[in-house]
Each structure stands twice: as C-alpha cells, then as structure tokens.
Amino acid sequence: MGALDNDTALEVREGVDRETIETVQAMAGKYKYGWETDIEMEFAPKGLNEDIVRLISEKNGEPDWMLEWRLAAYRRWVKMEEPRWAMLNYPEIDYQDQYYYAKPKSMTKKPKSLDEVDPKLLATYEKLGIPLKEQMLLAGVEGSDEPRKVAVDAVFDSVSVGTTFKEELKKAGVIFCSISEAVRDYPELVKKYLGSVVPQSDNFFATLNSAVFSDGSFVYVPEGVRCPMELSTYFRINAENTGQFERTLIIADKGAYVSYLEGCTAPKRDTNQLHAAVVEIVILDDAEVKYSTVQNWYPGDEEGRGGIYNFVTKRADCRGPRSKVMWTQVETGSAITWKYPSCILRGDDSQGEFYSIAIANNAQQADTGTKMVHLGKRTKSRIVSKGISAGRAQNTYRGLVSMHPKATDSRNYTQCDSLLIGDRCGAHTVPYIEVKNNSSRVEHEATTSKVDDDQLFYCRSRGMDEEEAVALVVNGFCKEVLQALPMEFAMEAQSLVAISLEGSVG
Amino acid sequence: MLEINNLHVKLEEDDKVILKGVNLTVEAGKVHAIMGPNGSGKSTLSYVLAGRDGYSVTDGSATLDGAELLEMEPEERAAAGLFLAFQYPVEIPGVGNMTFLRTAVNAQRKARGEDELSAGEFLKIVREKAKALKIDAEMMKRPVNVGFSGGEKKRNEILQMAMLEPKMCILDETDSGLDVDAMKLVADGVNALRDAGRAFLVITHYQRLLDHIRPDVVHIMADGRIVKTGGPELALEVENNGYADILAEVM
C-alpha cells in the first residue's frame, strides 16, 4: 500500500469528480449562463455593406492599411457561397438581418484601466466566474501546488472590455492585448502575421470574419520566453441579433511557450445567433503553443429553438523546425458547430496534437474535427476525438490527415470514439487520408459504443443517482481528453460534460 | 431485517415467469445461504431486490426494516442499506476505481443527510480496508474492473461492501471463478463484516464457499420458489447427493 501514501495525483482526480457532481446537483438541468446583461449598447445599422466595414474600422481607430485589408476581404466575400458540405441542417442565414457591430455605450471612451470599466460589465464577468481583477486564482484542488495566475482578456459582444495582468506580462516581454489595440500599437507584428495562417480567401466564414472582425485577442511571446502565466480570453455574446466575429492572433517566437485558454457563453434566446471567429497561431522554431477551448455557447432549447451558429476557423502553423501545437477542445454548446482546428506541420520534426470532446444533446448538431497537414520531414500528429450524442442530436467527426511528398518518415495516429445515449441520436465519422510518400505511417482507429444499462445499474446500485451515473461513465469515456486540459479547465469541463447531458436518459 | 413475501416476478421482454411466490425472512446478525440448480431464479431474486430494469413484479413484497424496497429506485435501496455483490462486476472504462468508490460512498452519505468524507478521511479508511483484501494502490488507480482478474473483481466487490457498510448484503455467486486462495480472501473479508446489526444472503451453487462463510440457515431454491429450509447440514447434503433427491422429495 506504500504507493497510496504519497499519491497526490490520485487525490486530485478525486477532487475533480466530486466537484462535477456537486456542480451538477447545484445546477439542476439549466443552461447556467442564459441570463443577459441589461446595458446600453451602441449598434451599427443592421446588415452588411462597405460602409459598415468602414464604420467598424473607424470605430476601432484603425490605420488605412487595415481598412483596405477588410475591404478586400469584403469584396471577395460577396462573391463567395456559403459551404454546405458539412452534415448540418439549418435554415438559410440572412446575412443582412444581423448587427455586425455592438458595443456597450460605456466603452465609447476606452477605459484606461480596469478601475474605469463599467461596473455592470465587471459584474457580468464575475457572475460568469471570470475574475477581471488581478487576483490569484487558486487551482481549487486540495494538495495542488502554488496559487496560479491567469491573465484574462474579456470580449463582450464586439469589444474587448479589459485585459488583466498586462503590466506583469509586459515585464516578461509578452504582449497580451485586444487585437484592436495591437493594430494601433504593434502594426508591424499585425501586418506581418495577420492572415498569414488563415488567408482572407480561406473560406466563406473566414473571409466574412476578415471583413467585419471587431475585436479579439493578440498574443506575442518573444524569442526564448516562457509565458509566466496562463492567458485566456473569455467571449460573451450579449446583444440580440448580433453576430460575434472575433479574431485571435497568437505568435510564439523561437523557443517560446504559451498556454492559452478560451471560454464562451451567451444568453438564452429564441432566435439563432451567428458566431464566426478566426484563430491564427504562428509557431516558430522550437516554440510550443497549447490552445484549450471550453465552448459553451447557448445550445438552443430542447425543441431546437435558438442557440448559436458557430462557424469557426482555427489553424496553427508550425512554421519552424521542432515547433509544437496542441489543440484541446470541449464543445458542449451551440446549436450548430462547424469547426476544424488544424495544424500545418511545415517545420521539420514539428508536432501537432488535437484532443476533442464534442457533445451534442437534444437538437444540437456538430460537425467538427481537425486537419493535420504534414509538410515537413519527420512530423508527427495525434488526434483523439470523443464524440457524445444524446437526444436527437447528430455528431460528426470530420478529419483530414495529409502526408505531402516531402513529409518523409512522418507519423499520424488517430483515435475516434463515439458514444451514443438513447436511440434517436447519430454519430458519424468521416476521415480523409492522403499519403503521398512511402515512408510515412497513418493509423486510424474508430469505435462506437452506447452507454450501457449494466454500467448505469452498477453505479446506481452503489448509491449514485441516474445523472451522476451518466456523468461518471461519460467522464470516463472522455478521460484522455480531459487529462490534456489545464487543471482549472478540466474541472469546468467535467461539470459541463455532466450538465450538457442532463435529461438525456430515462 | 429482510422480509420477502409471496414474490412473483416475470421477465418484461417475454413474460416468462421466473419467481413464483418466494417467501424469505432474514434476521439481523444472521447469514442465510440460498442454493439451487441453474435456472432456479437465484440471480433474478438478487437483481429484483437491487432494482435492476427488465423485471416486472406481479405480486408480493420485499421490505428492508419495514420499508418497501420494490418501490424504491436502485440508489434509494443502496442508501437504505442494501448491497448486491455482482456475479459479473461491470467494467467502467476511464473511471478510476478510487473515484468510483468515493463517488458511491459520498452519494450514499448525502442521501442519508450525512457530511461527505474529505479526501483525506476517505483515503485513510480505504487504505486500511483495501489492505485486508490485498488490494494494492495500483488496483485502486485502474479503471473500475477493466482488466481485473476474476479474483480481483470479486475482492473489489467486497471492498465496496466494506466501504459502504450496508445492513443487508447479498452475495450473488461470489465464489464463481475463484481459486481456493482467492475464495479464502473473499470469505475472510465477508466474515470480518459479520456483526449483530448486519445480515447476509449468500447465493451459491457450491458448498465450498459455505465452508468459509458459515451460514446460520440454508435454503434450497427450485423453479422460482424456496422449496426447503434447514441448517448448515442441508448444504452438505447437497454437496454429497446433488439436488435430485431433495427436489424429488419436495416437488
């Protein structure tokens, strides 16, 4: 029994699970973030045309080159067609019936520090559990190490309302600010890297985003710097009929390291809302980026009314040799999810990893996966995807693994597991594999299983109620992915997994 | 403690009648054994008492300390003090054995209005009880029953029983798939839990488990009923002569 005595890892897992169950019980089946903030907003007129693009650019105080970049994207976008190849079924989106810019009035004059931010906005984030004060975040687990700091950039509808720990990060040389500030303050960096991973012409939604993105986060970690804390962005859609188009640009210079977290919520509404974000990550020689997302946009009600349409383009370019990227995503929200965080493994010996949990309950539809594009020699990628379907939901894994002729001696391992709860949902796996050299190896494993009545009975006969039992079994199914998340997020994700499956059995 | 009266049960899927009027009273502090040939309804009885889906009770009752078990959800029966050690313990991939056990213990404590055990308190108790069953730290970390040997699975069931401290323990063919040493370990685990406030219902095919867990009363079950009841000597009779004589005598 010796090993048990000093086994703290075990205790940590324990704490995590108890947390899940307490949270589930406390929340009793409701989307926790469905309230809205009553705050005066300034909107641009509904619809999209060149004037709206000009207005967004002007509101952000952008230089001419940025406006030209946006207009070029807009002109391209009007000639493009919305892609319909995904296994998603939704009514035609009227792009002229959306607001493309919404900003709290109190933000008209940009606050100089967090002390000047509208208390209503601060209260919103507090209610969401996101501290916008520069306080220590306790990891929240017994026996875990030092209190950890997490710097937050909070984006409310179209604008960033504040970024914490900016000064402390600056001392380390790390730039962490809203992208609108970066356009003004670091134009050289933005000019060099914006659109270099996801070009304006990439796809319908990315092009739309390039034209109308209003804010988002910007990160630059200079050569050789290990970012001293976790960075995070918290996105909140509040205003009605408002699209959110944020743009995130992360640059890890040679030998740098950063771990970045992204969280999202929105109020409950009967109408659908559009979210089309772009995330670009540039990773130079020997640098490493971890990007974790807990996506909890409002999923719509049980009948499928309302919810966010989430069309997101995320891509990391491992530009330098030995660079590394790890995407981890927990997708529990949104009515529609269309999202394929990808890795371009350009540098020799670069590595890409993708860990995903996608949960679709009730009438939710998810078509999500990744692309691993191997260009450099001896590049490695690993995909672990866990799809969970319940209710009438449809969940599709769509993934591309591509080994180019020069990507010799490269490896990919893909594991795709689907779990079905009930008998009205669906799980689909659509792998695309292209290998154009003889020395690379691609492995693909896929399983589909059902939550087993015997497992549930076993748990219940030991005293757990049905929802606790489902949460336990599903969290077990997702374990490999949950382990890839930073600890604070792992706990949130575990509770989310449980909450989003409430009412899925019985 | 456990009172079963005229219990009739059929399978939901094909209406096949399995239990045809079971009557049984188990008093606190006692160990009762149920023996019987395959298909006599022994395992069905244990599943119906624990609340598994798929059975419909057409008549009769089963109470634990006066409370009607058959109207409770499985987890309510567990919180009321009923425990079933499974013949085939179920695998739960990805869920650590320790996590499972702690979730179960705290779920029951909560249902009874008691405070949950802290991680520290819980670990202290588990370590002690696991040690007696020769369950090591490694086995507590592995996912529940995944890749466990037959003996490990059964010892794990007894560990759960020891942690949950039920009043009424049902052991469904706990001896199946065990070698002599493993059976001895399991029996010692059960014997350590015997006390005046706790009762056991031991379901088994063979006398050999009853050499280690000495029963106070032995019942013979056949064709959905208890057909004969006696002392420990009844088990020996079965061991020596098989069921044929007894069945011929009573049916």
Side-chain angles (χ1 to χ4, degrees):
Chain A
M1 289 300 292
L4 257 188
D5 296 347
N6 43 31
D7 189 344
T8 50
L10 199 61
E11 296 211 28
V12 165
R13 286 278 144 221
E14 289 305 304
V16 169
D17 275 309
R18 194 172 53 153
E19 190 80 12
T20 305
I21 280 140
E22 281 167 359
T23 317
V24 174
Q25 280 163 349
M27 292 182 181
K30 300 201 170 68
Y31 182 69
K32 189 183 165 192
Y33 307 104
W35 42 270
E36 63 180 292
T37 308
D38 183 15
I39 194 162
E40 261 193 283
M41 299 292 290
E42 181 189 347
F43 289 97
K46 250 188 190 176
L48 187 53
N49 52 46
E50 288 203 9
D51 289 342
I52 294 289
V53 176
R54 284 175 204 282
L55 179 89
I56 294 168
S57 183
E58 190 196 313
K59 289 276 177 198
N60 282 352
E62 287 172 358
D64 287 347
W65 62 266
M66 193 68 244
L67 173 62
E68 287 310 317
W69 197 82
R70 287 174 179 278
L71 287 172
Y74 175 75
R75 287 167 196 146
R76 190 182 277 275
W77 180 75
V78 291
K79 289 184 225 137
M80 292 170 92
E81 273 186 44
E82 193 180 321
R84 283 285 181 169
W85 43 258
M87 209 175 284
L88 300 170
N89 195 356
Y90 55 93
E92 195 83 19
I93 298 170
D94 183 353
Y95 291 91
Q96 296 304 334
D97 192 34
Q98 299 272 337
Y99 290 107
Y100 288 84
Y101 188 80
K103 179 179 188 174
K105 274 209 170 130
S106 54
M107 294 295 293
T108 307
K109 201 170 147 258
K110 185 103 182 155
K112 283 194 193 65
S113 73
L114 283 167
D115 303 336
E116 293 177 17
V117 171
D118 187 340
K120 259 191 190 168
L121 286 173
L122 293 180
T124 299
Y125 284 91
E126 198 162 307
K127 203 166 160 190
L128 291 167
I130 313 298
L132 282 189
K133 280 174 264 165
E134 298 198 348
Q135 64 193 26
M136 300 284 198
L137 272 192
L138 284 163
V141 183
E142 293 167 62
S144 72
D145 36 25
E146 320 247 299
R148 292 165 71 176
K149 289 176 188 172
V150 177
V152 180
D153 182 26
V155 177
F156 188 87
D157 289 327
S158 300
V159 293
S160 166
V161 297
T163 310
T164 60
F165 289 111
K166 254 175 156 169
E167 288 309 310
E168 192 168 336
L169 287 166
K170 216 174 195 173
K171 270 182 224 153
V174 176
I175 303 171
F176 181 39
C177 62
S178 71
I179 196 142
S180 55
E181 279 171 78
V183 168
R184 293 190 296 267
D185 300 345
Y186 309 98
E188 292 317 310
L189 284 172
V190 176
K191 256 191 212 169
K192 185 168 175 192
Y193 292 109
L194 187 75
S196 74
V197 185
V198 179
Q200 284 174 339
S201 55
D202 195 79
N203 70 73
F204 182 84
F205 297 107
T207 307
L208 174 63
N209 174 287
S210 302
V212 301
F213 77 87
S214 38
D215 220 334
S217 303
F218 175 82
V219 177
Y220 174 76
V221 188
E223 189 168 338
V225 171
R226 198 181 162 86
C227 186
M229 62 183 87
E230 307 257 359
L231 303 184
S232 75
T233 299
Y234 199 89
F235 296 105
R236 173 80 178 167
I237 295 182
N238 190 62
E240 204 160 0
N241 293 325
T242 303
Q244 181 152 342
F245 306 93
E246 77 272 1
R247 183 122 194 160
T248 299
L249 177 57
I250 299 173
I251 302 139
D253 213 325
K254 291 177 185 169
Y257 168 86
V258 63
S259 166
Y260 186 90
L261 323 171
E262 176 203 300
C264 341
T265 59
K268 283 185 176 179
R269 298 194 191 285
D270 290 342
T271 50
N272 297 105
Q273 281 180 284
L274 182 62
H275 174 253
V278 171
V279 175
E280 294 182 274
I281 306 180
V282 179
I283 309 162
L284 301 182
D285 311 14
D286 301 292
E288 183 178 354
V289 174
K290 287 185 181 167
Y291 193 105
S292 315
T293 307
V294 173
Q295 186 266 104
N296 185 23
W297 295 120
Y298 177 53
D301 67 11
E302 282 164 33
E303 305 303 318
R305 279 184 300 254
I308 301 289
Y309 286 172
N310 193 31
F311 298 97
V312 174
T313 306
K314 292 183 166 178
R315 197 171 302 151
D317 188 352
C318 287
R319 234 165 250 188
R322 296 166 304 279
S323 54
K324 273 189 203 169
V325 64
M326 179 166 127
W327 293 105
T328 308
Q329 60 169 18
V330 179
E331 302 283 312
T332 65
S334 296
I336 299 281
T337 300
W338 181 99
K339 183 181 169 192
Y340 316 90
S342 307
C343 305
I344 311 295
L345 302 171
R346 198 183 302 275
D348 290 345
D349 302 290
S350 59
Q351 290 181 28
E353 288 175 81
F354 174 77
Y355 295 92
S356 169
I357 299 170
I359 299 182
N361 193 3
N362 298 319
Q364 282 178 271
Q365 302 172 64
D367 193 303
T368 182
T370 184
K371 288 185 207 169
M372 293 291 176
V373 180
H374 293 250
L375 302 174
K377 294 182 180 58
R378 298 171 304 277
T379 47
K380 281 192 196 125
S381 65
R382 183 181 171 87
I383 299 169
V384 178
S385 162
K386 305 277 181 178
I388 298 144
S389 321
R392 291 173 288 126
Q394 296 295 326
N395 204 332
T396 303
Y397 168 82
R398 190 182 300 277
L400 167 75
V401 176
S402 170
M403 300 281 184
H404 281 240
K406 286 181 183 162
T408 49
D409 299 304
S410 295
R411 299 269 181 277
N412 162 264
Y413 172 75
T414 300
Q415 183 192 333
C416 245
D417 299 323
S418 304
L419 186 69
L420 302 171
I421 302 174
D423 53 12
R424 292 178 302 154
C425 54
H428 317 272
T429 301
V430 191
Y432 303 82
I433 298 170
E434 303 166 0
V435 182
K436 295 190 175 138
N437 68 61
N438 290 328
S439 56
S440 291
R441 196 169 75 203
V442 175
E443 291 175 68
H444 182 96
E445 286 180 30
T447 66
T448 303
S449 50
K450 286 192 78 167
V451 168
D452 185 67
D453 288 342
D454 286 337
Q455 288 176 334
L456 295 184
F457 174 60
Y458 190 62
C459 294
R460 293 179 74 188
S461 78
R462 298 301 180 251
M464 297 167 218
D465 66 31
E466 193 160 26
E467 295 195 334
E468 264 179 304
V470 171
L472 193 77
V473 171
V474 172
N475 272 320
F477 172 77
C478 301
K479 190 178 184 188
E480 290 149 284
V481 177
L482 291 170
Q483 278 175 336
L485 286 168
M487 185 53 78
E488 299 86 341
F489 256 30
M491 294 170 67
E492 191 187 336
Q494 287 211 337
S495 350
L496 260 182
V497 166
I499 294 157
S500 39
L501 288 170
E502 276 186 355
S504 60
V505 285
Chain B
M1 175 171 285
L2 178 68
E3 284 265 359
I4 302 173
N5 279 308
N6 193 32
L7 186 63
H8 286 70
V9 170
K10 62 180 185 182
L11 285 181
E12 268 175 8
E13 64 173 29
D14 59 4
D15 282 345
K16 189 178 173 204
V17 180
I18 309 283
L19 300 184
K20 302 171 179 171
V22 174
N23 290 293
L24 180 66
T25 302
V26 181
E27 312 80 11
K30 300 290 184 195
V31 174
H32 285 226
I34 297 186
M35 302 179 75
N38 283 329
S40 57
K42 303 186 303 292
S43 285
T44 297
L45 178 63
S46 66
Y47 281 143
V48 169
L49 291 174
R52 189 183 182 180
D53 280 344
Y55 302 98
S56 83
V57 175
T58 51
D59 199 3
S61 70
T63 58
L64 183 63
D65 284 341
E68 181 55 75
L69 281 174
L70 302 177
E71 286 168 7
M72 298 181 199
E73 295 294 336
E75 59 270 27
E76 292 167 342
R77 300 179 199 207
L82 185 81
F83 180 90
L84 169 64
F86 281 52
Q87 183 181 359
Y88 303 109
V90 180
E91 297 184 359
I92 310 180
V95 176
N97 207 20
M98 186 76 91
T99 302
F100 179 82
L101 197 49
R102 179 149 172 237
T103 308
V105 167
N106 281 331
Q108 291 202 15
R109 291 182 72 96
K110 213 165 173 179
R112 289 193 292 257
E114 300 160 11
D115 284 342
E116 293 186 12
L117 289 178
S118 74
E121 290 168 309
F122 176 80
L123 268 180
K124 194 165 160 248
I125 303 171
V126 169
R127 261 180 223 143
E128 192 186 303
K129 303 206 169 183
K131 196 171 178 181
L133 287 158
K134 294 208 163 65
I135 292 175
D136 62 12
E138 171 59 25
M139 192 169 141
M140 294 310 295
K141 275 193 235 175
R142 279 153 60 190
V144 181
N145 293 319
V146 178
F148 284 25
S149 69
E152 285 175 332
K153 283 184 181 171
K154 297 300 169 75
R155 277 185 279 148
N156 200 37
E157 292 291 289
I158 304 304
L159 175 64
Q160 291 176 8
M161 188 165 90
M163 288 303 296
L164 293 167
E165 301 186 320
K167 296 193 275 207
M168 181 69 230
C169 311
I170 304 170
L171 278 63
D172 187 7
E173 305 210 12
T174 294
D175 51 336
S176 67
L178 294 188
D179 60 28
V180 180
D181 292 336
M183 187 156 69
K184 180 98 187 3
L185 257 178
V186 165
D188 288 348
V190 171
N191 288 329
L193 289 171
R194 288 178 78 157
D195 75 34
R198 182 172 288 136
F200 291 84
L201 188 59
V202 180
I203 294 172
T204 180
H205 270 293
Y206 305 107
Q207 151 69 19
R208 57 173 199 166
L209 179 65
L210 303 180
D211 286 339
H212 300 287
I213 305 172
R214 301 289 300 164
D216 297 297
V217 183
V218 175
H219 307 275
I220 306 297
M221 194 163 176
D223 192 30
R225 290 183 197 90
I226 305 269
V227 294
K228 189 165 185 180
T229 297
E233 72 287 348
L234 189 53
L236 286 170
E237 198 186 321
V238 169
E239 180 75 1
N240 295 330
N241 307 328
Y243 291 109
D245 290 356
I246 297 170
L247 297 186
E249 176 194 325
V250 297
M251 296 183 85

